[in-house]
Amino acid sequence: MRMRKHQWLRTTLSRAYYCSFSSSFPLKHVTQSNFESAVADLKTHLKAADFVAIDLEMTGVASAPWRESLEFDRFDVKYLKVKDSAEKFAVVQFGVCPFRWDPLRLSFIAHPHNFYIFPRQEVPTDSSSCEFLCQTTSMDFLAKYHFDFNACIRQGVSYLSRWQEDEALRHLNLRYEDELSEQARDVPLFSITDILFSERMKNRLREWRDGLLKDTSGGSQLEGSFLNDSNQQFQNIFYKMRPALSLNGFTSHQLRLIQSVTKKHFKDLAFVRVEGESSCSQQLVVYTDSESDRDLLKKEVMGDYRRQAEVKIKAAIGFRHVIDLLSSEKKLIIGHNCFLDLAHVHSKFLGPLPFEAEEFVHSVNKCFPYIIDTKILLNTNNILRQRMKKSKTSLSSAFLSLCPQIAFASNESCNLTFSSSVKVEITSKKDSWGINVLVHLPGAFFVFKSKFCSSKSQYKSSSWISGVKHEAGYDAFMTGCIFAQACNLLGIDFKLYSPSENLACNERLQKHANLLYLSWINGDIIDLSTGHRTVESLRCRDLKNWQTGILFENIVLIWGFPSDLKTAVIKDRISKVFGPTSVTSVCRLDETAVFVQFSKSKLVADFLLVKETLDRSNDAFSVLHPLSTILEGGNTCAASYETYKDICSSPLSKVLFADQAQAVGIRWKTKLVERKEEVEIEEQDHFREENAANTISFYMEQN
């Protein structure tokens, strides 16, 4: 009876949560149109914040089925899969929610922001244009929760990573150097056409220059024949208080000839390129008083060009300003199972991801010195585990379990009693509608204060709209609320909390700080501060679902076997050769590949040698060997676990693993395990060759 009542209660809470909460939550959406003002407000909120929760929405997770997270993924392979995901998929929403403790209200004040971001190539670089993959399941998932794809693509804020900014500046410097070298280089005259054109340009420029010198005021000459040129190729203008000719309608080759003529025959004329407002360059021949004035003009022009280009580069930084703010303020960052999120942050806003996980965590820790993952917090702390009981630690489940008052804040009919919790309020400054907002979450309803609408009225704004689960800004808010409630359950009394205190340094949180799940499936945890890895204690796991005893040195990767071959058959055939207890488990990677874990590491080398021996045999007896079923077709390959890592490190992503291995360039059928000492190699190879031959003979006799 009690169990039924408990199930009814959870069902009622879930229905109320999904039906009522998402329709009333005010969330600030940020696009190009309100980005600058939103960042200015966010900067103020970040300075005052005690911690900042973040969350990301991406266009996909795995670029191929075999790249999904698997139980047999070693820590370094798991990182390579995360690296591949972060490099190939785009971030389309970035949620940032600063939380500040208000001692007067005795509650946290939250400022949830939902940024739409979209990569564009807004400055010239040597790199290719922005490209990313879309995983159909992820796109369908976003659409299910009413993601606004039009707002993202048309109004999403673009960005440059720090590395891309440096590359753009380097590209600018190269263009500057090319411009100087081009000005110093003479153009050879190979054809009669070039000779005649150069001579004609020399005469025209001399005529224009001489006309300027005859009339010191320059007035009559500026209205002369060049201005009325029938082809409109020359136009008299002033540039930087100097008389100039604007050149129009010439080819790039002709312009280089004019530049060469100007440099060779006129010491008081300067050929310059000027960047216009529409990013179109304008070519000018400018009259200067002296050679020193000409050099000064060229320096001014190149200085203007560099400044304009630098302004464009700075403007293209876009959303990375938010990342720079988070980094510079050194605030405590809260995420939920956020290793992939941080990999995206590094790839999109810092620079290319390193090949080793240790280098990655060092780079992240340098940028964000204080990070707490609420999923680790809930799984590794005994107090929180008891509070969660058997509840799942997914974001929505944890929010519902730990923050029911907030989850049902908009449901006036909810009269259920919960234990005391930390209060959270949401406020906003006036936006373009002139509305002030105060949302008191632990109450029975949201309260809106406005000069346009009365209490309890429906809130409307161009930038504040309803938030729903799986919107990045709303998920960031949920993450922050979970953390605040977790702190309360751990005994952190915010009534005694000082604004000057660094929450990340609290002794109750210290042992959970800067720890991330490198692999949630395997319980691999990595410390951002040190790069050290640990495995989550078994007592923190559901023992029914937790499998132990994965020894990667005992694993053989087999691929390319017949597609209809079942894992049970593979295990049976190998066990017939090496003994009934030789194979611990067989795990399918996809329809073309499996992992085989042996009970002893030496069986890995034994299996690979027997396989290679059978591959070399062309006699009829090898057909009767038990492994012949696996080797049928002649395409079966096998190697140790290190080969799996090598294949995962490739940027390619074929759908089938066998195709991936071939695309990476693996041509051999069997990769034998390498030995460190030659003596050991010779002795063991000789023994195994004899053993393999004897094994084959034995089974021939048995059959």
Side-chain angles (χ1 to χ4, degrees), residues 12-13 15-17 20-21 24 407-415 443-446:
T12 304
L13 296 181
R15 289 177 179 174
Y17 167 63
S20 62
F21 181 67
S24 314
F408 306 109
S410 60
N411 187 0
E412 296 189 48
S413 62
C414 180
N415 56 4
F445 53 84
F446 293 116

Side-chain angles (χ1 to χ4, degrees), residues 13 16-18 20-22 396 399-401 403-411 441 446 474 477:
L13 296 181
Y17 167 63
Y18 291 118
S20 62
F21 181 67
S22 63
S396 56
F399 183 62
L400 189 62
S401 298
C403 312
Q405 296 91 333
I406 301 175
F408 306 109
S410 60
N411 187 0
L441 293 175
F446 293 116
Y474 176 50
F477 169 77

